[in-house]
Amino acid sequence: MKLKRIAIAATLLTGLSFCAQAQINTEQLNQVIENSMARFDVPGMAVAVVENDKVVFAKGFGVTHLETGKKVNKNTLFGIASNTKAFTAAALAKLVDEDKISWDDKVIDHLPEFRLYDSYVTREMTIRDLLSHRSGLGLGQGDLMIWPDTDKSVEEILAGLKYLKPASSFRSKYAYNNLMFVTAGEVVARVSGMSWNDYIEKNMLQPLKMKNSRAGFSRIPNSNKNWATGHIPMDGKLNPFFVNYLEDFRGAGAIASSVSDMSQWLRTQLAGGKMPNGEQLFSEKQQAQMWHPHITSMTSKKAYEAYHQQFRGYGLGWSIEDFHGVKKLAHGGGILGMVSQVTLVPEKNLGIVILSNQQAFSALSAITYEVLEDAF
């Protein structure tokens, strides 16, 4: 009996080792990317895959602009849009590690002018609440203050929050909201003494060696022309359509990055906050907070049938669900003519980032699930 138990344990350990070392079929991945771009009419795309702390795939496809025909490569900058949110959460995690704030600090203690429609919510709203889409505001409520762009200052945006009547009670329901992340970015600024943009570049992007990335399109050096333009389907054809990568969204969506740079972010996330250079960007303790569902949503029968989804929720800057029995973290980002997708499967030591210059999110989903199929 004892030998039998040892044999079973050895088999399980071998199986776990095999899972952790799952190899991505890069030749097949190339074909899936090209097929997806053709099927969904995507002019340009860049994809990177990180596995077991190595960048196993990083490549550009297609063109940055239909009219110029300039090729996309792994260093081409795209607007990552709402994938910025995880950087804002990580910036706050770093400040928590430094004992400058706590996740449960009241927002009003750092932004005394902060006001919402309800005085109770104003008084009780915490940093954790800002980052988990449980404010009571509705889906995208207030976005027209900043979308598609604005000349409003942060102070004017904050002043407008008190006029937004909530769609649900505080902390009762998940509803995605950008303005709470704009507010979170301003908390970073007030606590650190520098703008959100400067803090992100100095304390996140530079230590990560994300050398071409910037916290705003206007901050890209004039010497760097390797950036993509969005494309919008209209009148039966694709039309190049420039936007400044949601610069006015600040902490909710302003970062410009490449898959080469983002692969360093994926490696750091999968290593518990330890950067490729061996230094700690944020602690594993704070990562556990960011990767914990702080608000949950109903699962769907369709998702259960597809990958046995048992739960789904939102952490601090990350969407979280189970995927065939393991935790999967992900986030999408979208602007006019451009979408992005980041996916992490920690138990598989796997990360995927896809950036594109057409708003066909289905193309990104097809590629992501092809990589996941290899891993599982």
Side-chain angles (χ1 to χ4, degrees):
M1 181 64 71
K2 183 177 180 180
L3 289 174
K4 184 177 180 180
R5 286 200 299 268
I6 291 172
I8 291 171
T11 301
L12 289 172
L13 287 172
T14 302
L16 288 171
S17 175
F18 174 78
C19 286
Q21 300 298 321
Q23 296 296 308
I24 301 304
N25 185 333
T26 55
E27 183 178 341
Q28 184 173 322
L29 180 56
N30 272 297
Q31 190 62 56
V32 169
I33 293 168
E34 290 171 0
N35 289 348
S36 295
M37 290 177 66
R39 169 66 179 82
F40 295 102
D41 203 14
V42 179
M45 181 180 286
V47 180
V49 179
V50 170
E51 190 175 20
N52 299 316
D53 199 34
K54 291 183 175 62
V55 182
V56 298
F57 189 94
K59 191 174 179 181
F61 298 81
V63 297
T64 64
H65 192 294
L66 275 176
E67 293 175 0
T68 67
K70 185 176 180 181
K71 299 295 184 182
V72 174
N73 60 39
K74 66 180 182 179
N75 295 311
T76 300
L77 295 174
F78 293 78
I80 69 169
S82 285
N83 277 299
T84 297
K85 290 178 170 67
F87 285 87
T88 297
L92 288 161
K94 187 173 179 64
L95 293 171
V96 173
D97 281 330
E98 295 168 355
D99 292 324
K100 293 180 179 177
I101 60 171
S102 80
W103 294 115
D104 295 310
D105 280 357
K106 301 295 193 293
V107 175
I108 200 168
D109 290 339
H110 297 289
L111 306 178
E113 76 276 29
F114 177 73
R115 295 291 183 276
L116 293 173
Y117 188 87
D118 185 283
S119 60
Y120 170 80
V121 182
T122 296
R123 187 172 64 250
E124 296 299 318
M125 179 79 72
T126 65
I127 293 171
R128 190 189 304 275
D129 294 320
L130 291 177
L131 301 176
S132 53
H133 300 303
R134 61 186 194 183
S135 66
L137 293 176
L139 172 64
Q141 192 172 355
D143 274 0
L144 290 178
M145 283 204 281
I146 52 176
W147 173 270
D149 55 31
T150 184
D151 58 1
K152 288 183 172 62
S153 65
V154 175
E155 291 76 19
E156 290 172 319
I157 293 168
L158 291 177
L161 294 176
K162 63 179 175 287
Y163 300 109
L164 299 175
K165 188 174 181 179
S168 66
S169 58
F170 185 39
R171 296 177 182 156
S172 68
K173 185 181 294 186
Y174 168 83
Y176 195 88
N177 189 274
N178 287 302
L179 292 183
M180 294 299 95
F181 271 84
V182 174
T183 305
E186 186 59 14
V187 173
V188 172
R190 298 288 179 90
V191 173
S192 68
M194 61 181 75
S195 70
W196 172 84
N197 314 72
D198 287 343
Y199 186 90
I200 291 294
E201 290 183 1
K202 181 178 179 181
N203 293 281
M204 308 296 290
L205 304 183
Q206 290 175 19
L208 284 163
K209 308 301 181 188
M210 296 175 67
K211 60 183 180 179
N212 292 316
S213 301
R214 294 293 185 275
F217 183 86
S218 67
R219 301 167 76 92
I220 300 171
N222 291 331
S223 58
N224 187 355
K225 305 298 183 184
N226 189 11
W227 49 267
T229 297
H231 294 76
I232 296 176
M234 187 169 60
D235 298 330
K237 65 176 184 177
L238 282 180
N239 297 268
F241 188 88
F242 171 77
V243 292
N244 66 357
Y245 295 3
L246 294 187
E247 184 146 359
D248 295 322
F249 275 58
R250 301 173 177 87
I255 291 177
S257 191
S258 66
V259 295
S260 179
D261 282 359
M262 287 292 287
S263 65
Q264 305 310 301
W265 173 242
L266 300 186
R267 291 175 66 192
T268 300
Q269 288 287 333
L270 292 168
K274 182 179 288 187
M275 296 182 286
N277 65 8
E279 297 177 6
Q280 204 75 26
L281 183 64
F282 49 80
S283 67
E284 287 188 70
K285 180 180 179 180
Q286 304 317 326
Q287 184 180 68
Q289 291 286 336
M290 292 184 281
W291 284 10
H292 174 75
H294 293 279
I295 188 77
T296 58
S297 303
M298 291 296 294
T299 59
S300 69
K301 182 179 179 181
K302 183 178 179 181
Y304 179 80
E305 291 171 347
Y307 48 88
H308 300 290
Q309 183 189 75
Q310 302 279 1
F311 78 88
R312 59 194 288 252
Y314 198 89
L316 306 178
W318 290 97
S319 294
I320 305 167
E321 65 178 355
D322 62 325
F323 184 87
H324 292 297
V326 300
K327 179 183 282 189
K328 178 168 78 72
L329 301 108
H331 215 289
I335 60 180
L336 288 170
M338 194 170 287
V339 290
S340 65
Q341 176 67 32
V342 171
T343 305
L344 300 171
V345 186
E347 290 176 69
K348 298 289 185 179
N349 297 310
L350 177 69
I352 311 156
V353 57
I354 309 173
L355 309 176
S356 75
N357 62 355
Q358 211 271 67
Q359 53 199 47
F361 198 80
S362 295
L364 281 63
S365 295
I367 296 162
T368 297
Y369 282 101
E370 176 63 33
V371 176
L372 292 176
E373 281 185 17
D374 278 354
F376 285 80

